[in-house]
Amino acid sequence: MIPHGRDAVDAQAAAEILGISYRTFRNNGGGSAYGLRAFEPTRRKLLYDLRQVEAVRDGRELPAWPVGTADHPDDLLDEQDVAALLVVAYSTVRKDRSVGRLPGWVEVCGVAHIARSVLQEVIAARPGYGVG
């Protein structure tokens, strides 16, 4: 999940902002070597907060992460977040997205995301049990 109001960059863009090669970034241990925290550390493609990357580049203190904030309608959810939220299999979300049953996805650094509010609208518009 990318919290609302945050801009995401992938590891390659983070390395470019830091002024080093992507290979050096990876060989040094990735974002953790620079004190960066990924939005979702368990994902295959890690996304970092742009403000934190810029703070590391400029030698400033890292911006604080919001603690205990409620779910915001503008949060961007990836496919795994949607699967957990809907209590369905990850493969179900991928299938529904590919056939158009879950419209409204946007690409953020090559990873598909959907706003929480858009997801709620799409789910609310789906026909329920016994319709048809």
Side-chain angles (χ1 to χ4, degrees), residues 45-131:
K45 185 170 189 175
L46 299 179
L47 300 177
Y48 301 99
D49 183 13
L50 176 63
R51 285 186 271 166
Q52 285 196 341
V53 176
E54 290 173 342
V56 169
R57 177 195 63 197
D58 299 338
R60 293 181 282 126
E61 186 176 327
L62 294 178
W65 285 71
V67 177
T69 57
D71 296 334
H72 194 275
D74 293 333
D75 291 342
L76 292 176
L77 308 172
D78 64 10
E79 292 172 334
Q80 292 175 351
D81 294 329
V82 172
L85 187 68
L86 298 179
V87 193
V88 297
Y90 172 67
S91 59
T92 302
V93 174
R94 288 189 57 93
K95 173 74 173 183
D96 285 354
R97 182 176 148 250
S98 69
V99 298
R101 284 191 291 245
L102 278 177
W105 293 81
V106 294
E107 293 282 324
V108 178
C109 300
V111 180
H113 285 81
I114 188 170
R116 188 183 304 272
S117 60
V118 173
L119 177 65
Q120 291 171 346
E121 290 172 9
V122 168
I123 297 303
R126 281 182 159 183
Y129 177 75
V131 174

Side-chain angles (χ1 to χ4, degrees), residues 11 15 18-31 33-34:
L18 294 174
I20 58 176
S21 72
Y22 175 64
R23 186 169 281 190
T24 300
F25 182 81
R26 293 274 315 249
N27 287 344
N28 286 343
Y34 300 94

